[in-house]
Amino acid sequence: MNVHDDQAEEGPSVIAGTPRDYSEDLYRVYFEVGEYEDMALKVLLEFLTEEGIRSLNKQAFGYDVQLPIQVVPEVVRALITANIAVYQVVRQDKA
Protein backbone atom coordinates (compact mmCIF):
# COMPACT_ATOMS: atom_id res chain seq x y z
CA MET A 1 0.00 0.00 0.00
CA ASN A 2 1.26 3.48 -0.92
CA VAL A 3 1.43 6.02 1.91
CA HIS A 4 -0.96 8.27 0.01
CA ASP A 5 -3.48 5.48 -0.74
CA ASP A 6 -4.78 5.40 2.83
CA GLN A 7 -5.23 9.20 2.81
CA ALA A 8 -7.22 9.06 -0.43
CA GLU A 9 -9.57 6.51 1.10
CA GLU A 10 -10.32 8.78 4.06
CA GLY A 11 -11.69 11.57 1.85
CA PRO A 12 -11.32 15.31 1.46
CA SER A 13 -11.37 16.07 5.20
CA VAL A 14 -7.83 14.69 5.41
CA ILE A 15 -6.68 17.12 2.72
CA ALA A 16 -8.33 20.27 4.16
CA GLY A 17 -5.75 22.59 5.69
CA THR A 18 -2.78 20.63 4.35
CA PRO A 19 -0.38 21.41 1.50
CA ARG A 20 -2.67 19.28 -0.70
CA ASP A 21 -5.64 21.61 -0.07
CA TYR A 22 -6.36 23.28 -3.41
CA SER A 23 -9.74 24.63 -2.38
CA GLU A 24 -10.67 28.30 -2.27
CA ASP A 25 -11.10 28.05 1.52
CA LEU A 26 -9.45 30.95 3.31
CA TYR A 27 -7.19 30.55 6.33
CA ARG A 28 -5.81 33.19 8.67
CA VAL A 29 -2.05 33.23 8.16
CA TYR A 30 0.45 35.26 10.15
CA PHE A 31 3.61 36.40 8.36
CA GLU A 32 6.34 37.68 10.67
CA VAL A 33 8.60 39.77 8.50
CA GLY A 34 11.38 42.34 8.56
CA GLU A 35 9.37 45.36 7.46
CA TYR A 36 10.83 48.52 5.93
CA GLU A 37 8.72 51.29 4.39
CA ASP A 38 5.73 48.93 4.06
CA MET A 39 7.51 46.82 1.42
CA ALA A 40 6.13 43.56 2.87
CA LEU A 41 2.65 45.07 2.94
CA LYS A 42 2.92 45.95 -0.76
CA VAL A 43 3.89 42.36 -1.58
CA LEU A 44 1.05 40.92 0.51
CA LEU A 45 -1.52 43.21 -1.10
CA GLU A 46 -0.73 41.64 -4.49
CA PHE A 47 -2.15 38.32 -3.24
CA LEU A 48 -5.24 39.54 -1.39
CA THR A 49 -8.79 39.88 -2.61
CA GLU A 50 -10.87 42.91 -1.61
CA GLU A 51 -12.22 40.90 1.32
CA GLY A 52 -8.68 39.93 2.27
CA ILE A 53 -7.54 43.55 2.20
CA ARG A 54 -10.40 44.54 4.50
CA SER A 55 -9.50 41.77 6.96
CA LEU A 56 -5.73 42.44 6.91
CA ASN A 57 -4.46 43.03 10.42
CA LYS A 58 -1.08 44.68 10.98
CA GLN A 59 0.77 43.31 14.01
CA ALA A 60 3.91 44.60 15.76
CA PHE A 61 6.22 42.42 13.64
CA GLY A 62 4.09 41.27 10.75
CA TYR A 63 0.67 40.79 9.24
CA ASP A 64 -2.37 38.57 9.76
CA VAL A 65 -4.04 37.92 6.42
CA GLN A 66 -6.65 35.60 4.90
CA LEU A 67 -5.39 33.40 2.06
CA PRO A 68 -6.05 30.03 0.45
CA ILE A 69 -3.44 27.60 1.83
CA GLN A 70 -1.92 26.90 -1.61
CA VAL A 71 -0.97 30.59 -2.00
CA VAL A 72 1.30 30.66 1.08
CA PRO A 73 4.46 29.35 -0.67
CA GLU A 74 3.97 31.89 -3.47
CA VAL A 75 3.72 34.72 -0.93
CA VAL A 76 6.89 33.57 0.84
CA ARG A 77 8.71 33.38 -2.50
CA ALA A 78 7.53 36.91 -3.43
CA LEU A 79 8.65 38.29 -0.06
CA ILE A 80 12.08 36.70 -0.42
CA THR A 81 12.40 37.92 -4.00
CA ALA A 82 11.69 41.45 -2.70
CA ASN A 83 14.55 40.94 -0.22
CA ILE A 84 12.21 40.89 2.78
CA ALA A 85 13.22 38.66 5.68
CA VAL A 86 10.58 36.10 6.66
CA TYR A 87 10.98 35.00 10.27
CA GLN A 88 7.94 32.78 10.56
CA VAL A 89 4.68 31.82 8.89
CA VAL A 90 1.87 30.56 11.10
CA ARG A 91 -1.30 29.06 9.66
CA GLN A 92 -4.17 29.67 12.00
CA ASP A 93 -7.84 28.72 11.83
CA LYS A 94 -10.05 28.64 8.79
CA ALA A 95 -11.45 32.12 8.17
Side-chain angles (χ1 to χ4, degrees), residues 53-87:
I53 291 170
R54 284 191 302 272
S55 67
L56 182 138
N57 188 11
K58 186 172 184 176
Q59 302 290 324
F61 298 102
Y63 298 91
D64 247 338
V65 298
Q66 291 183 6
L67 295 168
I69 197 80
Q70 74 271 12
V71 177
V72 172
E74 296 174 40
V75 173
V76 172
R77 190 174 14 248
L79 290 166
I80 291 168
T81 300
N83 203 27
I84 298 166
V86 177
Y87 293 97

Side-chain angles (χ1 to χ4, degrees), residues 31-52:
F31 291 91
E32 186 174 273
V33 295
E35 182 65 282
Y36 178 73
E37 295 183 355
D38 292 331
M39 290 178 62
L41 176 61
K42 292 172 188 169
V43 170
L44 288 168
L45 289 174
E46 294 176 21
F47 292 91
L48 299 178
T49 63
E50 287 183 35
E51 178 185 342

Side-chain angles (χ1 to χ4, degrees), residues 1-11 14:
M1 171 168 27
N2 185 324
V3 173
H4 300 290
D5 289 343
D6 61 337
Q7 292 175 348
E9 292 173 9
E10 293 180 35
V14 174

